[in-house]
Amino acid sequence: MTRPAVLFDMDGTLLDTAADFVAVIDAMRNERQLPSIDAQFTRDVVSGGALAMVQASFGNDLHETETEALRQEFLLRYQTLCGQHSALFDGMAELLSWLEQHHIVWGVVTNKPLRFAEPVMQNLGLDKRSAILVCPDHVTRSKPDPEPMLLACQTLALDPQRVIYIGDDERDIVSGREAGCRTIAACYGYVHPSDDPAKWQADWSVASAHEIRPIIEQAFLR
């Protein structure tokens, strides 16, 4: 039997990175003499990426060139501080230690570009612990396509049927399922208010990272 593995999406699943994005948006708005906006407002659209956060913060009625300029500014600012305000979700540190103690491989498959994802992992001391980091830079098609998941499995010589993928967006669940992995919907993450994780067809869903370990124990250790 091949070794088991647990793969995580990054933002909103493994890591609570929203504070970095909030800091960038606040700085951009402050420079324009605009008031800060509620942090939850930004958290709700994190899964949509830089464009969604910019549009939510500065409006959808801007000219396309203005929106793109704001998006590029957002990305440049984010690159200077990515990871500074990020942290593992509550219960995740214990989960990672437990996985390592039981020799269960863990890694990260994310739609976050490598130039942002790698510094975040390094700043939090996770780069040497994670078995793999798969970003859009490594594939031709990002999630929800199964290619990133299949690349991770092939690189680590894993049987997808012995892999559990955890994510907070429907794209994660679709990618994992189509790659042949089992999936967990991380409902504690950056789930947009209009989304319904119950419709994602994940094998399991959890309301906190503390609920993940019993699922892995049942799947791999019993």
Side-chain angles (χ1 to χ4, degrees), residues 6-9 12-14 89-92 95 164-169 172-173 182-191 196-219:
V6 177
L7 299 175
F8 299 90
D9 172 53
T13 302
L14 179 68
F89 274 101
D90 184 42
M92 193 59 72
L95 175 63
I164 291 177
Y165 185 50
I166 309 172
D168 68 320
D169 189 274
D172 303 320
I173 305 306
R182 285 177 288 181
T183 58
I184 299 176
C187 300
Y188 58 83
Y190 306 145
V191 179
D196 182 3
K199 296 181 179 178
W200 296 353
Q201 300 181 44
D203 294 283
W204 302 275
S205 63
V206 295
S208 80
H210 294 283
E211 298 176 17
I212 297 173
R213 174 176 164 177
I215 293 173
I216 298 170
E217 285 183 311
Q218 180 184 22

Short mmCIF file of all heavy atoms in Angstrom, two decimals, residues 6-9 12-14 89-92 95 164-169 172-173 182-191 196-219:
data_model
loop_
_atom_site.label_atom_id
_atom_site.label_comp_id
_atom_site.label_asym_id
_atom_site.label_seq_id
_atom_site.Cartn_x
_atom_site.Cartn_y
_atom_site.Cartn_z
N VAL A 6 -1.53 14.23 2.91
CA VAL A 6 -2.54 15.28 3.05
C VAL A 6 -1.99 16.53 2.37
O VAL A 6 -0.88 16.97 2.67
CB VAL A 6 -2.84 15.59 4.53
CG1 VAL A 6 -3.84 16.75 4.64
CG2 VAL A 6 -3.37 14.36 5.24
N LEU A 7 -2.75 17.06 1.42
CA LEU A 7 -2.35 18.26 0.70
C LEU A 7 -3.33 19.38 1.03
O LEU A 7 -4.53 19.14 1.17
CB LEU A 7 -2.31 18.01 -0.80
CG LEU A 7 -1.31 16.93 -1.26
CD1 LEU A 7 -1.44 16.68 -2.76
CD2 LEU A 7 0.13 17.32 -0.91
N PHE A 8 -2.79 20.58 1.18
CA PHE A 8 -3.59 21.73 1.58
C PHE A 8 -3.59 22.82 0.52
O PHE A 8 -2.55 23.07 -0.11
CB PHE A 8 -3.01 22.36 2.86
CG PHE A 8 -2.97 21.49 4.07
CD1 PHE A 8 -1.86 20.70 4.33
CD2 PHE A 8 -4.02 21.48 4.97
CE1 PHE A 8 -1.79 19.90 5.47
CE2 PHE A 8 -3.97 20.68 6.11
CZ PHE A 8 -2.86 19.89 6.36
N ASP A 9 -4.72 23.47 0.35
CA ASP A 9 -4.72 24.78 -0.28
C ASP A 9 -4.04 25.73 0.72
O ASP A 9 -3.97 25.43 1.91
CB ASP A 9 -6.17 25.21 -0.55
CG ASP A 9 -6.25 26.63 -1.04
OD1 ASP A 9 -5.56 26.98 -2.01
OD2 ASP A 9 -7.02 27.41 -0.44
N GLY A 12 -6.65 30.56 3.34
CA GLY A 12 -7.97 30.19 3.82
C GLY A 12 -8.11 28.74 4.21
O GLY A 12 -9.20 28.32 4.63
N THR A 13 -7.04 27.97 4.10
CA THR A 13 -7.10 26.55 4.47
C THR A 13 -5.97 26.22 5.43
O THR A 13 -6.20 25.94 6.61
CB THR A 13 -7.01 25.65 3.23
OG1 THR A 13 -8.08 25.97 2.34
CG2 THR A 13 -7.10 24.18 3.61
N LEU A 14 -4.74 26.25 4.93
CA LEU A 14 -3.58 26.06 5.80
C LEU A 14 -3.30 27.33 6.59
O LEU A 14 -3.07 27.28 7.81
CB LEU A 14 -2.36 25.70 4.95
CG LEU A 14 -1.04 25.50 5.71
CD1 LEU A 14 -1.10 24.24 6.58
CD2 LEU A 14 0.14 25.41 4.73
N PHE A 89 -3.89 28.63 10.78
CA PHE A 89 -5.19 28.66 11.43
C PHE A 89 -5.12 27.93 12.77
O PHE A 89 -4.29 27.04 12.97
CB PHE A 89 -6.25 28.00 10.54
CG PHE A 89 -6.86 28.94 9.54
CD1 PHE A 89 -6.45 28.92 8.21
CD2 PHE A 89 -7.84 29.85 9.92
CE1 PHE A 89 -7.00 29.78 7.28
CE2 PHE A 89 -8.41 30.71 8.99
CZ PHE A 89 -7.99 30.68 7.68
N ASP A 90 -5.98 28.33 13.66
CA ASP A 90 -6.04 27.71 14.98
C ASP A 90 -6.21 26.20 14.84
O ASP A 90 -7.13 25.74 14.14
CB ASP A 90 -7.21 28.31 15.78
CG ASP A 90 -7.27 27.78 17.19
OD1 ASP A 90 -6.21 27.66 17.84
OD2 ASP A 90 -8.39 27.47 17.66
N GLY A 91 -5.34 25.45 15.48
CA GLY A 91 -5.38 23.99 15.42
C GLY A 91 -4.51 23.40 14.33
O GLY A 91 -4.24 22.19 14.33
N MET A 92 -4.03 24.23 13.40
CA MET A 92 -3.25 23.71 12.28
C MET A 92 -1.84 23.32 12.69
O MET A 92 -1.28 22.34 12.18
CB MET A 92 -3.22 24.72 11.15
CG MET A 92 -2.72 24.18 9.83
SD MET A 92 -3.69 22.78 9.18
CE MET A 92 -5.20 23.62 8.67
N LEU A 95 -1.98 19.97 14.09
CA LEU A 95 -2.27 18.98 13.05
C LEU A 95 -1.01 18.65 12.25
O LEU A 95 -0.72 17.47 12.00
CB LEU A 95 -3.35 19.50 12.11
CG LEU A 95 -3.67 18.62 10.90
CD1 LEU A 95 -4.21 17.27 11.35
CD2 LEU A 95 -4.66 19.31 9.96
N ILE A 164 -5.63 13.00 0.66
CA ILE A 164 -6.76 13.86 1.02
C ILE A 164 -6.35 15.30 0.74
O ILE A 164 -5.28 15.75 1.17
CB ILE A 164 -7.13 13.69 2.51
CG1 ILE A 164 -7.74 12.30 2.76
CG2 ILE A 164 -8.12 14.78 2.95
CD1 ILE A 164 -8.05 12.03 4.22
N TYR A 165 -7.20 16.01 0.00
CA TYR A 165 -6.93 17.41 -0.31
C TYR A 165 -7.94 18.28 0.42
O TYR A 165 -9.14 18.01 0.39
CB TYR A 165 -7.00 17.66 -1.81
CG TYR A 165 -6.61 19.08 -2.19
CD1 TYR A 165 -5.43 19.65 -1.73
CD2 TYR A 165 -7.43 19.85 -3.01
CE1 TYR A 165 -5.07 20.93 -2.07
CE2 TYR A 165 -7.07 21.15 -3.36
CZ TYR A 165 -5.89 21.67 -2.88
OH TYR A 165 -5.54 22.96 -3.22
N ILE A 166 -7.43 19.34 1.05
CA ILE A 166 -8.28 20.21 1.87
C ILE A 166 -8.27 21.61 1.27
O ILE A 166 -7.21 22.17 1.01
CB ILE A 166 -7.75 20.26 3.33
CG1 ILE A 166 -7.56 18.84 3.88
CG2 ILE A 166 -8.72 21.04 4.22
CD1 ILE A 166 -6.86 18.78 5.22
N GLY A 167 -9.46 22.17 1.05
CA GLY A 167 -9.54 23.50 0.48
C GLY A 167 -10.80 24.23 0.88
O GLY A 167 -11.79 23.62 1.29
N ASP A 168 -10.77 25.56 0.75
CA ASP A 168 -11.90 26.39 1.18
C ASP A 168 -12.67 26.99 0.01
O ASP A 168 -13.46 27.91 0.20
CB ASP A 168 -11.41 27.51 2.11
CG ASP A 168 -10.56 28.54 1.37
OD1 ASP A 168 -9.74 28.13 0.52
OD2 ASP A 168 -10.71 29.74 1.64
N ASP A 169 -12.43 26.46 -1.19
CA ASP A 169 -13.11 26.96 -2.38
C ASP A 169 -13.56 25.77 -3.22
O ASP A 169 -12.90 24.73 -3.22
CB ASP A 169 -12.16 27.86 -3.19
CG ASP A 169 -12.87 28.59 -4.31
OD1 ASP A 169 -13.00 27.99 -5.41
OD2 ASP A 169 -13.29 29.74 -4.12
N ASP A 172 -11.01 24.02 -5.33
CA ASP A 172 -10.14 23.04 -4.66
C ASP A 172 -10.77 21.66 -4.67
O ASP A 172 -10.10 20.66 -4.96
CB ASP A 172 -9.89 23.47 -3.20
CG ASP A 172 -9.28 24.85 -3.09
OD1 ASP A 172 -8.40 25.19 -3.91
OD2 ASP A 172 -9.67 25.60 -2.18
N ILE A 173 -12.03 21.63 -4.33
CA ILE A 173 -12.73 20.35 -4.23
C ILE A 173 -12.84 19.69 -5.61
O ILE A 173 -12.63 18.48 -5.75
CB ILE A 173 -14.12 20.55 -3.60
CG1 ILE A 173 -14.00 21.25 -2.24
CG2 ILE A 173 -14.83 19.21 -3.46
CD1 ILE A 173 -13.05 20.59 -1.26
N ARG A 182 -9.53 12.14 -2.26
CA ARG A 182 -10.65 12.48 -1.39
C ARG A 182 -10.47 13.92 -0.93
O ARG A 182 -9.34 14.43 -0.89
CB ARG A 182 -10.73 11.51 -0.22
CG ARG A 182 -11.28 10.15 -0.62
CD ARG A 182 -11.29 9.16 0.52
NE ARG A 182 -9.95 8.70 0.85
CZ ARG A 182 -9.67 7.81 1.80
NH1 ARG A 182 -10.64 7.30 2.52
NH2 ARG A 182 -8.44 7.43 2.02
N THR A 183 -11.56 14.56 -0.57
CA THR A 183 -11.49 16.00 -0.30
C THR A 183 -12.20 16.38 0.99
O THR A 183 -13.17 15.74 1.41
CB THR A 183 -12.11 16.80 -1.45
OG1 THR A 183 -13.47 16.38 -1.65
CG2 THR A 183 -11.32 16.59 -2.75
N ILE A 184 -11.70 17.48 1.59
CA ILE A 184 -12.33 18.07 2.77
C ILE A 184 -12.57 19.54 2.48
O ILE A 184 -11.65 20.27 2.10
CB ILE A 184 -11.44 17.95 4.02
CG1 ILE A 184 -11.15 16.48 4.37
CG2 ILE A 184 -12.09 18.66 5.21
CD1 ILE A 184 -10.20 16.30 5.54
N ALA A 185 -13.81 19.99 2.67
CA ALA A 185 -14.14 21.41 2.51
C ALA A 185 -13.83 22.13 3.82
O ALA A 185 -14.40 21.80 4.86
CB ALA A 185 -15.60 21.57 2.13
N ALA A 186 -12.94 23.11 3.75
CA ALA A 186 -12.56 23.88 4.93
C ALA A 186 -13.52 25.06 5.08
O ALA A 186 -13.25 26.16 4.59
CB ALA A 186 -11.11 24.36 4.80
N CYS A 187 -14.62 24.84 5.75
CA CYS A 187 -15.65 25.86 5.87
C CYS A 187 -15.25 27.01 6.80
O CYS A 187 -15.95 28.03 6.86
CB CYS A 187 -16.96 25.23 6.34
SG CYS A 187 -17.59 23.96 5.21
N TYR A 188 -14.14 26.85 7.51
CA TYR A 188 -13.64 27.92 8.38
C TYR A 188 -12.86 28.96 7.59
O TYR A 188 -12.47 30.00 8.12
CB TYR A 188 -12.73 27.33 9.46
CG TYR A 188 -11.55 26.56 8.92
CD1 TYR A 188 -10.38 27.20 8.54
CD2 TYR A 188 -11.60 25.16 8.79
CE1 TYR A 188 -9.30 26.50 8.02
CE2 TYR A 188 -10.52 24.45 8.28
CZ TYR A 188 -9.38 25.12 7.91
OH TYR A 188 -8.30 24.42 7.40
N GLY A 189 -12.60 28.69 6.30
CA GLY A 189 -11.73 29.55 5.50
C GLY A 189 -12.46 30.71 4.85
O GLY A 189 -13.47 31.20 5.37
N TYR A 190 -11.96 31.12 3.69
CA TYR A 190 -12.48 32.30 3.02
C TYR A 190 -13.62 31.94 2.07
O TYR A 190 -13.53 32.14 0.86
CB TYR A 190 -11.36 33.02 2.27
CG TYR A 190 -10.17 33.36 3.14
CD1 TYR A 190 -8.87 33.31 2.63
CD2 TYR A 190 -10.33 33.71 4.48
CE1 TYR A 190 -7.78 33.62 3.42
CE2 TYR A 190 -9.25 34.02 5.29
CZ TYR A 190 -7.97 33.97 4.75
OH TYR A 190 -6.89 34.27 5.54
N VAL A 191 -14.65 31.38 2.64
CA VAL A 191 -15.81 30.99 1.85
C VAL A 191 -16.66 32.23 1.61
O VAL A 191 -17.08 32.90 2.54
CB VAL A 191 -16.64 29.92 2.58
CG1 VAL A 191 -17.86 29.53 1.75
CG2 VAL A 191 -15.78 28.69 2.88
N ASP A 196 -22.04 27.91 -1.16
CA ASP A 196 -22.63 26.88 -0.31
C ASP A 196 -21.75 25.63 -0.37
O ASP A 196 -21.89 24.82 -1.30
CB ASP A 196 -24.05 26.55 -0.76
CG ASP A 196 -24.73 25.52 0.12
OD1 ASP A 196 -24.12 25.09 1.12
OD2 ASP A 196 -25.87 25.12 -0.19
N PRO A 197 -20.84 25.45 0.59
CA PRO A 197 -19.94 24.30 0.57
C PRO A 197 -20.66 22.96 0.53
O PRO A 197 -20.09 21.96 0.07
CB PRO A 197 -19.14 24.45 1.88
CG PRO A 197 -19.17 25.93 2.16
CD PRO A 197 -20.54 26.37 1.70
N ALA A 198 -21.89 22.93 0.98
CA ALA A 198 -22.65 21.67 0.96
C ALA A 198 -22.88 21.18 -0.47
O ALA A 198 -23.13 19.99 -0.70
CB ALA A 198 -23.98 21.85 1.67
N LYS A 199 -22.77 22.08 -1.44
CA LYS A 199 -22.99 21.71 -2.84
C LYS A 199 -21.69 21.36 -3.56
O LYS A 199 -21.71 21.03 -4.75
CB LYS A 199 -23.68 22.86 -3.57
CG LYS A 199 -25.07 23.18 -3.04
CD LYS A 199 -25.71 24.32 -3.82
CE LYS A 199 -27.11 24.62 -3.31
NZ LYS A 199 -27.73 25.77 -4.04
N TRP A 200 -20.57 21.43 -2.87
CA TRP A 200 -19.28 21.20 -3.53
C TRP A 200 -18.97 19.72 -3.74
O TRP A 200 -18.01 19.38 -4.42
CB TRP A 200 -18.15 21.82 -2.71
CG TRP A 200 -18.22 23.31 -2.61
CD1 TRP A 200 -19.08 24.15 -3.25
CD2 TRP A 200 -17.39 24.14 -1.79
NE1 TRP A 200 -18.84 25.46 -2.89
CE2 TRP A 200 -17.80 25.48 -1.99
CE3 TRP A 200 -16.32 23.89 -0.91
CZ2 TRP A 200 -17.19 26.56 -1.34
CZ3 TRP A 200 -15.73 24.96 -0.26
CH2 TRP A 200 -16.16 26.28 -0.49
N GLN A 201 -19.71 18.85 -3.09
CA GLN A 201 -19.52 17.40 -3.20
C GLN A 201 -18.18 16.94 -2.62
O GLN A 201 -17.54 16.02 -3.14
CB GLN A 201 -19.64 16.94 -4.66
CG GLN A 201 -20.99 17.24 -5.29
CD GLN A 201 -21.09 16.76 -6.71
OE1 GLN A 201 -20.67 15.65 -7.04
NE2 GLN A 201 -21.64 17.57 -7.59
N ALA A 202 -17.73 17.61 -1.56
CA ALA A 202 -16.55 17.15 -0.84
C ALA A 202 -16.90 15.88 -0.06
O ALA A 202 -18.06 15.65 0.29
CB ALA A 202 -16.05 18.24 0.11
N ASP A 203 -15.90 15.09 0.23
CA ASP A 203 -16.14 13.87 1.01
C ASP A 203 -16.48 14.19 2.47
O ASP A 203 -17.25 13.48 3.11
CB ASP A 203 -14.91 12.96 0.95
CG ASP A 203 -14.67 12.43 -0.45
OD1 ASP A 203 -15.39 11.52 -0.87
OD2 ASP A 203 -13.77 12.96 -1.14
N TRP A 204 -15.87 15.24 2.97
CA TRP A 204 -16.12 15.71 4.33
C TRP A 204 -16.11 17.24 4.32
O TRP A 204 -15.58 17.86 3.40
CB TRP A 204 -15.04 15.24 5.30
CG TRP A 204 -14.84 13.76 5.41
CD1 TRP A 204 -15.54 12.89 6.18
CD2 TRP A 204 -13.82 12.97 4.74
NE1 TRP A 204 -15.05 11.61 6.04
CE2 TRP A 204 -13.99 11.63 5.15
CE3 TRP A 204 -12.80 13.28 3.84
CZ2 TRP A 204 -13.17 10.61 4.71
CZ3 TRP A 204 -11.98 12.27 3.38
CH2 TRP A 204 -12.17 10.94 3.81
N SER A 205 -16.66 17.82 5.36
CA SER A 205 -16.53 19.26 5.57
C SER A 205 -16.26 19.50 7.05
O SER A 205 -16.71 18.72 7.90
CB SER A 205 -17.79 20.00 5.13
OG SER A 205 -18.91 19.60 5.91
N VAL A 206 -15.49 20.54 7.33
CA VAL A 206 -15.12 20.85 8.71
C VAL A 206 -15.34 22.33 8.99
O VAL A 206 -15.19 23.18 8.11
CB VAL A 206 -13.64 20.48 9.00
CG1 VAL A 206 -13.43 18.97 8.89
CG2 VAL A 206 -12.69 21.22 8.06
N ALA A 207 -15.68 22.62 10.24
CA ALA A 207 -15.90 24.00 10.66
C ALA A 207 -14.66 24.60 11.30
O ALA A 207 -14.61 25.81 11.54
CB ALA A 207 -17.07 24.08 11.63
N SER A 208 -13.66 23.77 11.59
CA SER A 208 -12.39 24.25 12.13
C SER A 208 -11.31 23.24 11.82
O SER A 208 -11.60 22.07 11.53
CB SER A 208 -12.49 24.47 13.65
OG SER A 208 -12.34 23.24 14.35
N ALA A 209 -10.06 23.69 11.90
CA ALA A 209 -8.94 22.79 11.64
C ALA A 209 -8.86 21.67 12.67
O ALA A 209 -8.28 20.61 12.39
CB ALA A 209 -7.63 23.58 11.61
N HIS A 210 -9.44 21.89 13.84
CA HIS A 210 -9.42 20.86 14.89
C HIS A 210 -10.20 19.61 14.47
O HIS A 210 -9.99 18.53 15.04
CB HIS A 210 -10.03 21.42 16.18
CG HIS A 210 -9.22 22.51 16.81
ND1 HIS A 210 -8.07 22.27 17.53
CD2 HIS A 210 -9.39 23.86 16.80
CE1 HIS A 210 -7.58 23.43 17.96
NE2 HIS A 210 -8.35 24.41 17.53
N GLU A 211 -11.09 19.74 13.49
CA GLU A 211 -11.92 18.61 13.08
C GLU A 211 -11.26 17.74 12.02
O GLU A 211 -11.80 16.71 11.63
CB GLU A 211 -13.26 19.13 12.55
CG GLU A 211 -14.08 19.90 13.58
CD GLU A 211 -15.35 20.48 12.98
OE1 GLU A 211 -15.75 20.03 11.88
OE2 GLU A 211 -15.94 21.38 13.60
N ILE A 212 -10.08 18.15 11.55
CA ILE A 212 -9.45 17.42 10.45
C ILE A 212 -8.78 16.13 10.91
O ILE A 212 -8.88 15.09 10.24
CB ILE A 212 -8.42 18.33 9.74
CG1 ILE A 212 -9.13 19.54 9.11
CG2 ILE A 212 -7.65 17.55 8.68
CD1 ILE A 212 -8.18 20.57 8.53
N ARG A 213 -8.11 16.16 12.04
CA ARG A 213 -7.36 14.99 12.49
C ARG A 213 -8.22 13.72 12.60
O ARG A 213 -7.78 12.66 12.10
CB ARG A 213 -6.68 15.30 13.83
CG ARG A 213 -5.99 14.08 14.44
CD ARG A 213 -5.25 14.45 15.71
NE ARG A 213 -4.92 13.28 16.50
CZ ARG A 213 -4.22 13.30 17.64
NH1 ARG A 213 -3.78 14.45 18.10
NH2 ARG A 213 -3.98 12.19 18.30
N PRO A 214 -9.41 13.76 13.21
CA PRO A 214 -10.22 12.53 13.29
C PRO A 214 -10.54 11.95 11.92
O PRO A 214 -10.61 10.73 11.75
CB PRO A 214 -11.49 12.99 14.02
CG PRO A 214 -11.07 14.19 14.79
CD PRO A 214 -10.06 14.87 13.94
N ILE A 215 -10.73 12.80 10.93
CA ILE A 215 -11.02 12.32 9.58
C ILE A 215 -9.81 11.58 9.02
O ILE A 215 -9.96 10.51 8.42
CB ILE A 215 -11.40 13.51 8.66
CG1 ILE A 215 -12.72 14.12 9.12
CG2 ILE A 215 -11.47 13.06 7.21
CD1 ILE A 215 -13.10 15.40 8.39
N ILE A 216 -8.62 12.14 9.20
CA ILE A 216 -7.41 11.51 8.70
C ILE A 216 -7.16 10.20 9.42
O ILE A 216 -6.74 9.20 8.81
CB ILE A 216 -6.22 12.47 8.83
CG1 ILE A 216 -6.46 13.73 7.98
CG2 ILE A 216 -4.92 11.79 8.42
CD1 ILE A 216 -5.47 14.82 8.22
N GLU A 217 -7.39 10.19 10.72
CA GLU A 217 -7.22 8.94 11.50
C GLU A 217 -8.13 7.86 10.95
O GLU A 217 -7.69 6.71 10.76
CB GLU A 217 -7.53 9.21 12.97
CG GLU A 217 -6.47 9.98 13.71
CD GLU A 217 -6.79 10.15 15.18
OE1 GLU A 217 -7.92 10.56 15.48
OE2 GLU A 217 -5.93 9.86 16.02
N GLN A 218 -9.37 8.21 10.71
CA GLN A 218 -10.32 7.23 10.18
C GLN A 218 -9.93 6.75 8.79
O GLN A 218 -10.04 5.57 8.46
CB GLN A 218 -11.72 7.84 10.15
CG GLN A 218 -12.79 6.89 9.60
CD GLN A 218 -14.15 7.57 9.51
OE1 GLN A 218 -14.23 8.79 9.46
NE2 GLN A 218 -15.20 6.78 9.46
N ALA A 219 -9.42 7.67 7.96
CA ALA A 219 -9.11 7.34 6.58
C ALA A 219 -7.82 6.53 6.43
O ALA A 219 -7.73 5.65 5.57
CB ALA A 219 -9.00 8.62 5.76
#
